[in-house]
Amino acid sequence: MPSPVRCRMIRTRLIDALRAALAESGVEPLPATIEIGRPARAEHGDWSSNVALVCAKAASRRPRDLAQDLVERITARPPAHVRRVEVAGPGFVNFHLDHGWLHDVLRQVIAEGVAGYARHDFGAGTAVNVEFVSANPTGPLHVGGGRWAAYGDTLCNILARCGYAPHREYYLNDRGRQMDAFAESLIARREGVEPPDDGYHGDYIGEWAAEMPGDADAGEWGYARARRDVAESLARLGVRFDTWSSERELVRSGAVDAALATLRDRDAAYDADGAVWLRSADGGDDKDRVLVRSDGEPTYLLPDIAYHADKLARGSHLLIDVWGADHHGYVERLTAGFCALGNRREQLEIVLGQLVTVMRGATEAKISKRAGNLVLLDDLVDLVGADAARMTFLLQSLASRQTIDLDVVAAQSMENPVFYVQYAHARVCSLAATAAERGIERPPLAEVPLGALDQARELAVLRTLHALGDVVGEAARERAPHKLTTWVRELAGAFHGFYHDCPVLRSDVAPPLRAARLWLTEATRIGLVIALELLGVSAPERMDTLTPDDAEEAVE
RNA sequence: GCGCUCGUAGCUCAAUUUGGACAGAGCGUCUGACUACGGAUCAGAAGGUUGGGGGUUCGAGUCCCUCCGAGCGCGCCA
């Protein structure tokens, strides 16, 4: 049985009141959705709606007049917690509430807990395959790969919390010229000569060649070595894949031939100039693209089309590919091939992320494994740790270019926002530990007078906690995990402010207020843990005190 | 040249997809705050014609056009 707190959220109540008022005042048709938001400025109330602005034209009313009408009707029968409703600005309807609605939020957070709060079911069990990283298995993972790893893994966490069934997948391009060049480079280094110009020139090639047994098949040995290396680097960042798919295996199993046959059957492929072409121009691409080269070898495109069909065949209903922006020219041709197989365009979503620029001081480090001068994901994790590394990647929207200057990251590692958030969690735990030491117990929530929570700092924490459900939903729908990062920093900030101004366990705090604040602290813990778990960042119970010496060392 | 993406405070970014009220944080700078719970904290100040211009709208950082600047892409490579 749903709790009364849960089933009637404030937003729903206010929207219902607005809808009723609109109907009474004769607005027709009623808008499909009524928007209500939390204004940035306190004098605009706790909640605000622009319905009067939106409906004015259709209703042939002046926005402020319509708003005034709504206000009067709502004032006649105000929903719970509503103290005052007023017209403001060009025709906003602003609701001023008592603090009770925020105390309801606290009760809801506690009732639903880490497992249940800010959870959605709009994913409706949809199996979604998220493919990310998928770097060629020809070397270790560079720093840029970490961005896709942190993004993809966190997106999956968020999707899962919204009722999707995500599947984490890594695609191995384990055949073709890149693999050949990789093998040739290993052999060259083993024999003490320079790899070919179009081969791989990173330092790791020499190191790996030295490890390689003399009788090993360089291609196979190197492939296994690279896979292991990449998997270990990802594991250090807390990322594990459900499936590592192999291009080679797709060829071997006949899936690639089958895809080609289907494309031919559907007249989406044709022969010309000795090659086989995809009618990608029909699917929105600039021109048709080669599927099978005139030497009989498939290009990258054909196995990739087969691969996407395979992902669907394995049970996924939605495919999300996370690609670097340098591949954007490839989007149309893959989409064309995907649709040419008879799939719906909506089933394939390609998220493009701007590339990471890696700097070492003033000089840019190249990201190409072929060029050498490589900065590895491991290097970053060594430098700042997994939590800070992950947080760094999740700080920004994928659409922004990200510059990681290793010198700056190292020098400022103690200022990484991750510590600000983790410290908030450690403080929560510290309060609980101190309370336990002193034998102070939290009375059952139902017996605690939450009305005692009326300080701006306390209410700010509750307002932030209220937003988590919306943030998780938005992060999932917009494929934007960084929104959660932004939110958790806000919650940590609100809590630090509360902690600073509102003593909890101090002897001069009356027991009822102390109890209310302890519950507020517990609700904060729940919010922090939910967000940190989704972000894949640890929530330590205590953090070692930093001394100036530690800070010095960290810079070294 | 064509296409895609981006341009917000000194720096790094959020808000842009779904138009909403006076554009928010952090870092850096300056000034302050604990002998009670952890100062990895808190408060205040300074800092913006949201790259320029035009348009749509009651309302534009957000939508449209144009110009400027940056990155990337335009292979029978992956």
Side-chain angles (χ1 to χ4, degrees), chain A residues 456-483:
Chain A
R457 295 294 208 175
E458 297 163 334
L459 301 172
V461 172
L462 293 174
R463 269 192 209 96
T464 307
L465 282 169
H466 173 267
L468 180 57
D470 289 348
V471 169
V472 170
E474 270 175 43
R477 276 190 257 261
E478 298 172 23
R479 323 293 190 220
H482 75 279
K483 297 207 170 208

PDB file of all heavy atoms in Angstrom, chain A residues 456-483:
ATOM      1  N   ALA A 456      16.564  28.515   7.136  1.00  0.00           N
ATOM      2  CA  ALA A 456      16.830  28.542   5.699  1.00  0.00           C
ATOM      3  C   ALA A 456      17.766  27.405   5.288  1.00  0.00           C
ATOM      4  O   ALA A 456      17.566  26.764   4.252  1.00  0.00           O
ATOM      5  CB  ALA A 456      17.439  29.888   5.305  1.00  0.00           C
ATOM      6  N   ARG A 457      18.758  27.131   6.119  1.00  0.00           N
ATOM      7  CA  ARG A 457      19.733  26.071   5.805  1.00  0.00           C
ATOM      8  C   ARG A 457      19.069  24.695   5.773  1.00  0.00           C
ATOM      9  O   ARG A 457      19.420  23.851   4.952  1.00  0.00           O
ATOM     10  CB  ARG A 457      20.835  26.053   6.860  1.00  0.00           C
ATOM     11  CG  ARG A 457      21.674  27.300   6.887  1.00  0.00           C
ATOM     12  CD  ARG A 457      22.464  27.415   5.626  1.00  0.00           C
ATOM     13  NE  ARG A 457      23.688  28.156   5.879  1.00  0.00           N
ATOM     14  CZ  ARG A 457      24.638  28.346   4.982  1.00  0.00           C
ATOM     15  NH1 ARG A 457      24.494  27.862   3.767  1.00  0.00           N
ATOM     16  NH2 ARG A 457      25.707  29.014   5.289  1.00  0.00           N
ATOM     17  N   GLU A 458      18.176  24.481   6.698  1.00  0.00           N
ATOM     18  CA  GLU A 458      17.499  23.187   6.760  1.00  0.00           C
ATOM     19  C   GLU A 458      16.579  23.018   5.547  1.00  0.00           C
ATOM     20  O   GLU A 458      16.547  21.962   4.902  1.00  0.00           O
ATOM     21  CB  GLU A 458      16.692  23.092   8.059  1.00  0.00           C
ATOM     22  CG  GLU A 458      17.572  23.143   9.301  1.00  0.00           C
ATOM     23  CD  GLU A 458      16.815  23.459  10.584  1.00  0.00           C
ATOM     24  OE1 GLU A 458      15.742  24.103  10.524  1.00  0.00           O
ATOM     25  OE2 GLU A 458      17.295  23.085  11.653  1.00  0.00           O
ATOM     26  N   LEU A 459      15.862  24.076   5.248  1.00  0.00           N
ATOM     27  CA  LEU A 459      14.912  23.999   4.146  1.00  0.00           C
ATOM     28  C   LEU A 459      15.632  23.849   2.803  1.00  0.00           C
ATOM     29  O   LEU A 459      15.139  23.180   1.897  1.00  0.00           O
ATOM     30  CB  LEU A 459      14.022  25.250   4.149  1.00  0.00           C
ATOM     31  CG  LEU A 459      13.224  25.416   5.459  1.00  0.00           C
ATOM     32  CD1 LEU A 459      12.513  26.761   5.483  1.00  0.00           C
ATOM     33  CD2 LEU A 459      12.240  24.286   5.660  1.00  0.00           C
ATOM     34  N   ALA A 460      16.826  24.457   2.717  1.00  0.00           N
ATOM     35  CA  ALA A 460      17.583  24.354   1.463  1.00  0.00           C
ATOM     36  C   ALA A 460      17.977  22.899   1.203  1.00  0.00           C
ATOM     37  O   ALA A 460      17.942  22.432   0.058  1.00  0.00           O
ATOM     38  CB  ALA A 460      18.823  25.253   1.525  1.00  0.00           C
ATOM     39  N   VAL A 461      18.349  22.196   2.248  1.00  0.00           N
ATOM     40  CA  VAL A 461      18.705  20.781   2.088  1.00  0.00           C
ATOM     41  C   VAL A 461      17.489  20.005   1.572  1.00  0.00           C
ATOM     42  O   VAL A 461      17.581  19.204   0.639  1.00  0.00           O
ATOM     43  CB  VAL A 461      19.185  20.169   3.426  1.00  0.00           C
ATOM     44  CG1 VAL A 461      19.357  18.656   3.293  1.00  0.00           C
ATOM     45  CG2 VAL A 461      20.505  20.808   3.857  1.00  0.00           C
ATOM     46  N   LEU A 462      16.333  20.291   2.157  1.00  0.00           N
ATOM     47  CA  LEU A 462      15.125  19.556   1.767  1.00  0.00           C
ATOM     48  C   LEU A 462      14.704  19.881   0.339  1.00  0.00           C
ATOM     49  O   LEU A 462      14.280  19.000  -0.413  1.00  0.00           O
ATOM     50  CB  LEU A 462      13.993  19.865   2.752  1.00  0.00           C
ATOM     51  CG  LEU A 462      14.234  19.319   4.172  1.00  0.00           C
ATOM     52  CD1 LEU A 462      13.159  19.788   5.126  1.00  0.00           C
ATOM     53  CD2 LEU A 462      14.305  17.794   4.141  1.00  0.00           C
ATOM     54  N   ARG A 463      14.826  21.153  -0.035  1.00  0.00           N
ATOM     55  CA  ARG A 463      14.498  21.519  -1.421  1.00  0.00           C
ATOM     56  C   ARG A 463      15.389  20.776  -2.396  1.00  0.00           C
ATOM     57  O   ARG A 463      14.942  20.295  -3.433  1.00  0.00           O
ATOM     58  CB  ARG A 463      14.689  23.032  -1.622  1.00  0.00           C
ATOM     59  CG  ARG A 463      13.447  23.820  -1.359  1.00  0.00           C
ATOM     60  CD  ARG A 463      13.543  25.262  -1.835  1.00  0.00           C
ATOM     61  NE  ARG A 463      12.685  26.050  -0.974  1.00  0.00           N
ATOM     62  CZ  ARG A 463      13.093  26.720   0.092  1.00  0.00           C
ATOM     63  NH1 ARG A 463      14.384  26.764   0.388  1.00  0.00           N
ATOM     64  NH2 ARG A 463      12.244  27.356   0.846  1.00  0.00           N
ATOM     65  N   THR A 464      16.654  20.690  -2.060  1.00  0.00           N
ATOM     66  CA  THR A 464      17.586  19.990  -2.948  1.00  0.00           C
ATOM     67  C   THR A 464      17.234  18.507  -3.028  1.00  0.00           C
ATOM     68  O   THR A 464      17.218  17.925  -4.119  1.00  0.00           O
ATOM     69  CB  THR A 464      19.030  20.173  -2.453  1.00  0.00           C
ATOM     70  OG1 THR A 464      19.291  21.570  -2.276  1.00  0.00           O
ATOM     71  CG2 THR A 464      20.021  19.622  -3.454  1.00  0.00           C
ATOM     72  N   LEU A 465      16.929  17.921  -1.885  1.00  0.00           N
ATOM     73  CA  LEU A 465      16.560  16.506  -1.896  1.00  0.00           C
ATOM     74  C   LEU A 465      15.308  16.281  -2.746  1.00  0.00           C
ATOM     75  O   LEU A 465      15.199  15.279  -3.452  1.00  0.00           O
ATOM     76  CB  LEU A 465      16.308  16.013  -0.462  1.00  0.00           C
ATOM     77  CG  LEU A 465      17.567  15.731   0.353  1.00  0.00           C
ATOM     78  CD1 LEU A 465      17.221  15.515   1.824  1.00  0.00           C
ATOM     79  CD2 LEU A 465      18.312  14.522  -0.205  1.00  0.00           C
ATOM     80  N   HIS A 466      14.392  17.226  -2.682  1.00  0.00           N
ATOM     81  CA  HIS A 466      13.181  17.087  -3.478  1.00  0.00           C
ATOM     82  C   HIS A 466      13.494  16.985  -4.958  1.00  0.00           C
ATOM     83  O   HIS A 466      12.829  16.287  -5.704  1.00  0.00           O
ATOM     84  CB  HIS A 466      12.247  18.275  -3.233  1.00  0.00           C
ATOM     85  CG  HIS A 466      11.065  18.277  -4.138  1.00  0.00           C
ATOM     86  ND1 HIS A 466      11.061  18.962  -5.341  1.00  0.00           N
ATOM     87  CD2 HIS A 466       9.876  17.645  -4.060  1.00  0.00           C
ATOM     88  CE1 HIS A 466       9.894  18.747  -5.932  1.00  0.00           C
ATOM     89  NE2 HIS A 466       9.168  17.961  -5.182  1.00  0.00           N
ATOM     90  N   ALA A 467      14.528  17.680  -5.391  1.00  0.00           N
ATOM     91  CA  ALA A 467      14.831  17.756  -6.821  1.00  0.00           C
ATOM     92  C   ALA A 467      15.427  16.458  -7.369  1.00  0.00           C
ATOM     93  O   ALA A 467      15.455  16.254  -8.583  1.00  0.00           O
ATOM     94  CB  ALA A 467      15.790  18.924  -7.090  1.00  0.00           C
ATOM     95  N   LEU A 468      15.922  15.586  -6.485  1.00  0.00           N
ATOM     96  CA  LEU A 468      16.662  14.415  -6.987  1.00  0.00           C
ATOM     97  C   LEU A 468      15.856  13.562  -7.967  1.00  0.00           C
ATOM     98  O   LEU A 468      16.380  13.128  -8.992  1.00  0.00           O
ATOM     99  CB  LEU A 468      17.163  13.551  -5.825  1.00  0.00           C
ATOM    100  CG  LEU A 468      17.961  12.302  -6.242  1.00  0.00           C
ATOM    101  CD1 LEU A 468      19.164  12.686  -7.098  1.00  0.00           C
ATOM    102  CD2 LEU A 468      18.425  11.520  -5.026  1.00  0.00           C
ATOM    103  N   GLY A 469      14.583  13.347  -7.660  1.00  0.00           N
ATOM    104  CA  GLY A 469      13.774  12.529  -8.565  1.00  0.00           C
ATOM    105  C   GLY A 469      13.753  13.106  -9.971  1.00  0.00           C
ATOM    106  O   GLY A 469      13.948  12.394 -10.951  1.00  0.00           O
ATOM    107  N   ASP A 470      13.537  14.404 -10.055  1.00  0.00           N
ATOM    108  CA  ASP A 470      13.511  15.059 -11.366  1.00  0.00           C
ATOM    109  C   ASP A 470      14.865  14.958 -12.053  1.00  0.00           C
ATOM    110  O   ASP A 470      14.952  14.728 -13.266  1.00  0.00           O
ATOM    111  CB  ASP A 470      13.152  16.549 -11.213  1.00  0.00           C
ATOM    112  CG  ASP A 470      11.692  16.744 -10.827  1.00  0.00           C
ATOM    113  OD1 ASP A 470      10.922  15.773 -10.910  1.00  0.00           O
ATOM    114  OD2 ASP A 470      11.335  17.872 -10.447  1.00  0.00           O
ATOM    115  N   VAL A 471      15.911  15.147 -11.273  1.00  0.00           N
ATOM    116  CA  VAL A 471      17.259  15.139 -11.853  1.00  0.00           C
ATOM    117  C   VAL A 471      17.593  13.761 -12.424  1.00  0.00           C
ATOM    118  O   VAL A 471      18.122  13.649 -13.529  1.00  0.00           O
ATOM    119  CB  VAL A 471      18.300  15.562 -10.790  1.00  0.00           C
ATOM    120  CG1 VAL A 471      19.714  15.295 -11.271  1.00  0.00           C
ATOM    121  CG2 VAL A 471      18.124  17.044 -10.456  1.00  0.00           C
ATOM    122  N   VAL A 472      17.267  12.721 -11.686  1.00  0.00           N
ATOM    123  CA  VAL A 472      17.555  11.368 -12.169  1.00  0.00           C
ATOM    124  C   VAL A 472      16.778  11.108 -13.463  1.00  0.00           C
ATOM    125  O   VAL A 472      17.321  10.574 -14.439  1.00  0.00           O
ATOM    126  CB  VAL A 472      17.198  10.314 -11.098  1.00  0.00           C
ATOM    127  CG1 VAL A 472      17.251   8.905 -11.676  1.00  0.00           C
ATOM    128  CG2 VAL A 472      18.159  10.426  -9.914  1.00  0.00           C
ATOM    129  N   GLY A 473      15.519  11.517 -13.479  1.00  0.00           N
ATOM    130  CA  GLY A 473      14.708  11.319 -14.674  1.00  0.00           C
ATOM    131  C   GLY A 473      15.260  12.076 -15.868  1.00  0.00           C
ATOM    132  O   GLY A 473      15.354  11.541 -16.972  1.00  0.00           O
ATOM    133  N   GLU A 474      15.645  13.315 -15.645  1.00  0.00           N
ATOM    134  CA  GLU A 474      16.212  14.124 -16.733  1.00  0.00           C
ATOM    135  C   GLU A 474      17.531  13.543 -17.212  1.00  0.00           C
ATOM    136  O   GLU A 474      17.803  13.496 -18.408  1.00  0.00           O
ATOM    137  CB  GLU A 474      16.504  15.549 -16.239  1.00  0.00           C
ATOM    138  CG  GLU A 474      15.373  16.518 -16.410  1.00  0.00           C
ATOM    139  CD  GLU A 474      15.723  17.854 -15.773  1.00  0.00           C
ATOM    140  OE1 GLU A 474      16.873  18.318 -15.943  1.00  0.00           O
ATOM    141  OE2 GLU A 474      14.861  18.430 -15.095  1.00  0.00           O
ATOM    142  N   ALA A 475      18.364  13.139 -16.268  1.00  0.00           N
ATOM    143  CA  ALA A 475      19.671  12.589 -16.625  1.00  0.00           C
ATOM    144  C   ALA A 475      19.489  11.364 -17.515  1.00  0.00           C
ATOM    145  O   ALA A 475      20.247  11.143 -18.454  1.00  0.00           O
ATOM    146  CB  ALA A 475      20.469  12.250 -15.375  1.00  0.00           C
ATOM    147  N   ALA A 476      18.465  10.569 -17.215  1.00  0.00           N
ATOM    148  CA  ALA A 476      18.215   9.373 -18.013  1.00  0.00           C
ATOM    149  C   ALA A 476      17.659   9.752 -19.389  1.00  0.00           C
ATOM    150  O   ALA A 476      18.172   9.335 -20.416  1.00  0.00           O
ATOM    151  CB  ALA A 476      17.232   8.456 -17.293  1.00  0.00           C
ATOM    152  N   ARG A 477      16.650  10.582 -19.403  1.00  0.00           N
ATOM    153  CA  ARG A 477      15.993  10.932 -20.675  1.00  0.00           C
ATOM    154  C   ARG A 477      16.914  11.689 -21.610  1.00  0.00           C
ATOM    155  O   ARG A 477      16.850  11.523 -22.825  1.00  0.00           O
ATOM    156  CB  ARG A 477      14.760  11.781 -20.400  1.00  0.00           C
ATOM    157  CG  ARG A 477      13.534  10.956 -20.054  1.00  0.00           C
ATOM    158  CD  ARG A 477      12.296  11.848 -20.030  1.00  0.00           C
ATOM    159  NE  ARG A 477      11.922  12.144 -18.651  1.00  0.00           N
ATOM    160  CZ  ARG A 477      10.949  11.496 -18.000  1.00  0.00           C
ATOM    161  NH1 ARG A 477      10.285  10.533 -18.592  1.00  0.00           N
ATOM    162  NH2 ARG A 477      10.672  11.815 -16.767  1.00  0.00           N
ATOM    163  N   GLU A 478      17.737  12.517 -21.033  1.00  0.00           N
ATOM    164  CA  GLU A 478      18.630  13.337 -21.860  1.00  0.00           C
ATOM    165  C   GLU A 478      19.993  12.694 -22.029  1.00  0.00           C
ATOM    166  O   GLU A 478      20.886  13.295 -22.609  1.00  0.00           O
ATOM    167  CB  GLU A 478      18.766  14.737 -21.241  1.00  0.00           C
ATOM    168  CG  GLU A 478      17.438  15.467 -21.192  1.00  0.00           C
ATOM    169  CD  GLU A 478      17.534  16.780 -20.410  1.00  0.00           C
ATOM    170  OE1 GLU A 478      18.628  17.327 -20.296  1.00  0.00           O
ATOM    171  OE2 GLU A 478      16.488  17.225 -19.903  1.00  0.00           O
ATOM    172  N   ARG A 479      20.153  11.502 -21.485  1.00  0.00           N
ATOM    173  CA  ARG A 479      21.441  10.808 -21.540  1.00  0.00           C
ATOM    174  C   ARG A 479      22.523  11.750 -21.022  1.00  0.00           C
ATOM    175  O   ARG A 479      23.561  11.935 -21.676  1.00  0.00           O
ATOM    176  CB  ARG A 479      21.782  10.355 -22.956  1.00  0.00           C
ATOM    177  CG  ARG A 479      20.606   9.870 -23.804  1.00  0.00           C
ATOM    178  CD  ARG A 479      19.996   8.597 -23.289  1.00  0.00           C
ATOM    179  NE  ARG A 479      19.041   8.050 -24.245  1.00  0.00           N
ATOM    180  CZ  ARG A 479      17.882   7.501 -23.895  1.00  0.00           C
ATOM    181  NH1 ARG A 479      17.521   7.433 -22.625  1.00  0.00           N
ATOM    182  NH2 ARG A 479      17.079   7.011 -24.811  1.00  0.00           N
ATOM    183  N   ALA A 480      22.256  12.343 -19.886  1.00  0.00           N
ATOM    184  CA  ALA A 480      23.137  13.399 -19.384  1.00  0.00           C
ATOM    185  C   ALA A 480      23.514  13.161 -17.919  1.00  0.00           C
ATOM    186  O   ALA A 480      23.006  13.822 -17.022  1.00  0.00           O
ATOM    187  CB  ALA A 480      22.454  14.754 -19.543  1.00  0.00           C
ATOM    188  N   PRO A 481      24.412  12.209 -17.695  1.00  0.00           N
ATOM    189  CA  PRO A 481      24.808  11.897 -16.314  1.00  0.00           C
ATOM    190  C   PRO A 481      25.370  13.095 -15.563  1.00  0.00           C
ATOM    191  O   PRO A 481      25.275  13.147 -14.342  1.00  0.00           O
ATOM    192  CB  PRO A 481      25.899  10.832 -16.478  1.00  0.00           C
ATOM    193  CG  PRO A 481      25.714  10.265 -17.828  1.00  0.00           C
ATOM    194  CD  PRO A 481      25.083  11.332 -18.672  1.00  0.00           C
ATOM    195  N   HIS A 482      25.944  14.049 -16.276  1.00  0.00           N
ATOM    196  CA  HIS A 482      26.581  15.164 -15.563  1.00  0.00           C
ATOM    197  C   HIS A 482      25.565  15.980 -14.757  1.00  0.00           C
ATOM    198  O   HIS A 482      25.939  16.685 -13.832  1.00  0.00           O
ATOM    199  CB  HIS A 482      27.330  16.072 -16.534  1.00  0.00           C
ATOM    200  CG  HIS A 482      26.438  16.961 -17.347  1.00  0.00           C
ATOM    201  ND1 HIS A 482      25.781  16.516 -18.474  1.00  0.00           N
ATOM    202  CD2 HIS A 482      26.063  18.250 -17.173  1.00  0.00           C
ATOM    203  CE1 HIS A 482      25.051  17.520 -18.955  1.00  0.00           C
ATOM    204  NE2 HIS A 482      25.195  18.565 -18.197  1.00  0.00           N
ATOM    205  N   LYS A 483      24.283  15.839 -15.092  1.00  0.00           N
ATOM    206  CA  LYS A 483      23.281  16.567 -14.317  1.00  0.00           C
ATOM    207  C   LYS A 483      23.263  16.057 -12.883  1.00  0.00           C
ATOM    208  O   LYS A 483      22.957  16.800 -11.954  1.00  0.00           O
ATOM    209  CB  LYS A 483      21.897  16.395 -14.937  1.00  0.00           C
ATOM    210  CG  LYS A 483      21.847  16.976 -16.314  1.00  0.00           C
ATOM    211  CD  LYS A 483      20.471  17.413 -16.703  1.00  0.00           C
ATOM    212  CE  LYS A 483      20.587  18.211 -17.997  1.00  0.00           C
ATOM    213  NZ  LYS A 483      19.554  19.195 -18.151  1.00  0.00           N
TER     214      LYS A 483
END
